[in-house]
Amino acid sequence: MFDRYVVVDWSANSTPKLGADSIWIGAHDRDGQASITNLSTRREAEAFLVELLEAEPSATTLVGVDFSLGYPSGTAAALGVRGTPWSAMWAMLSEQITDDERNRNNRFAIAAGVNEQLTGSAAPFWGCPPSAAGRFLTSTKPCSLDSPGEFRAVEAALRSCGHRPFSSWQLLGAGAVGSQSLVGIPVLERMRRRFADRLDVWPFTTGFGPPTGHRGAVVVAEVWPSMLDIGDIGELVRDAAQVDTTARWLAAADATGVLDAMFSPAVSPAVAAAAVAEEGWVLGVRC
């Protein structure tokens, strides 16, 4: 299906950073060539990905990102954003999030604003430094996350398999992905517009099924490297080992014909409809 497989371990750091807990990009192609790249800012990472896609415009590329691409069903409607829920949320975040060349960003202020509009309380987003805490955003988890719900269906599925994924609403803490989504979705939205004739986002623009494989096609999908056993990493930074392992896993799944089925998980019609419209799904989750 693909010529190359790129996996991005994103970061929400507010200053440039290399090494552990920074941005790592692992790439693997069908010929076995592999690379691991560490970047200190999101601007650098975006430029790297754009250059990678422009350098080989005829290559089919699967890009896996390790942050949530959607929010629990009903979020967009509760916020009053119009249009297809997932794309309306992406457009809203792209307009509101500021994120400069030194990683300085306003994600906590935007999260507080979303909380105020959604519930008039410090929920559902939570987790921030004391300096960013206030009436509509707190450092600790609120008592209730009932509306619009703490987890997406895919996280519920992972939990039923014994995994412990984090909620899209948690912004801070080891393993949290909420901040990464807030600063990552605007990057993907810009790339989606830049490569409008090439880029799909699974399952939002493809449906629950294998994407079309036209020359130059780019498919962005959510991945969760913690599902995989990375084994002995030696002297590698864990993040580097995870992107490399995940890229190789995707390449092997494609080579053996397994990847095609991973794009079509067996879920109920209701879950599929919510995933395609708003929530998204994690590639490889079938339980």
Side-chain angles (χ1 to χ4, degrees), residues 32-122:
Q33 295 183 326
S35 65
I36 304 173
T37 305
N38 189 202
L39 299 131
S40 65
T41 69
R42 286 176 290 278
R43 291 284 184 90
E44 291 173 354
E46 182 176 357
F48 179 91
L49 291 170
V50 167
E51 182 178 355
L52 183 149
L53 296 180
E54 290 183 338
E56 296 186 54
S58 63
T60 53
T61 306
L62 175 59
V63 180
V65 296
D66 72 335
F67 55 83
S68 305
L69 298 184
Y71 292 91
S73 186
T75 299
L79 284 171
V81 293
R82 297 183 178 181
T84 304
W86 77 268
S87 61
M89 289 294 295
W90 280 35
M92 183 197 77
L93 292 176
S94 296
E95 292 170 2
Q96 295 186 3
I97 291 287
T98 59
D99 192 8
D100 71 13
E101 70 282 351
R102 300 291 294 171
N103 278 347
R104 291 170 294 202
N105 64 85
N106 66 342
R107 70 186 188 276
F108 294 120
I110 297 305
V114 169
N115 282 353
E116 180 179 10
Q117 190 172 350
L118 270 178
T119 65
S121 69

Side-chain angles (χ1 to χ4, degrees), residues 4-10 22-29 35-39 45 48-49 52 61-67 219-226 228 230 238-251 259 283:
R4 58 188 176 184
Y5 314 85
V6 179
V7 176
V8 183
D9 182 5
W10 204 239
S22 63
I23 298 173
W24 291 86
I25 300 178
H28 190 82
D29 65 31
S35 65
I36 304 173
T37 305
N38 189 202
L39 299 131
F48 179 91
L49 291 170
L52 183 149
T61 306
L62 175 59
V63 180
V65 296
D66 72 335
F67 55 83
V219 178
V220 175
E222 186 177 337
V223 295
W224 196 50
S226 294
L228 306 177
I230 62 173
R238 182 174 179 81
D239 306 317
Q242 284 190 317
V243 296
D244 182 62
T245 297
T246 307
R248 292 176 184 274
W249 170 66
L250 292 171
L259 184 61
L283 192 62

Side-chain angles (χ1 to χ4, degrees), residues 121-236:
S121 69
F125 278 118
W126 68 277
C128 66
S131 60
R135 179 181 174 187
F136 298 110
L137 186 66
T138 57
S139 300
T140 56
K141 185 177 180 179
C143 295
S144 174
L145 290 172
D146 292 339
S147 179
E150 183 173 4
F151 294 109
R152 300 175 296 163
V154 69
E155 283 125 14
L158 280 164
R159 290 170 71 84
S160 74
C161 296
H163 297 292
R164 286 294 177 264
F166 287 77
S167 167
S168 305
W169 303 121
Q170 185 176 346
L171 301 175
L172 203 62
V177 298
S179 283
Q180 286 88 327
S181 293
L182 288 179
V183 295
I185 284 173
V187 171
L188 294 181
E189 176 66 4
R190 287 192 293 272
M191 291 182 63
R192 191 169 76 94
R193 294 174 183 176
R194 186 185 190 108
F195 299 103
D197 59 336
R198 295 176 59 190
L199 193 147
D200 276 305
V201 183
W202 179 84
F204 296 140
T205 64
T206 63
F208 256 165
T212 57
H214 62 84
R215 296 300 297 168
V218 179
V219 178
V220 175
E222 186 177 337
V223 295
W224 196 50
S226 294
M227 289 194 306
L228 306 177
D229 179 7
I230 62 173
D232 182 8
I233 65 174
E235 296 181 357
L236 274 179

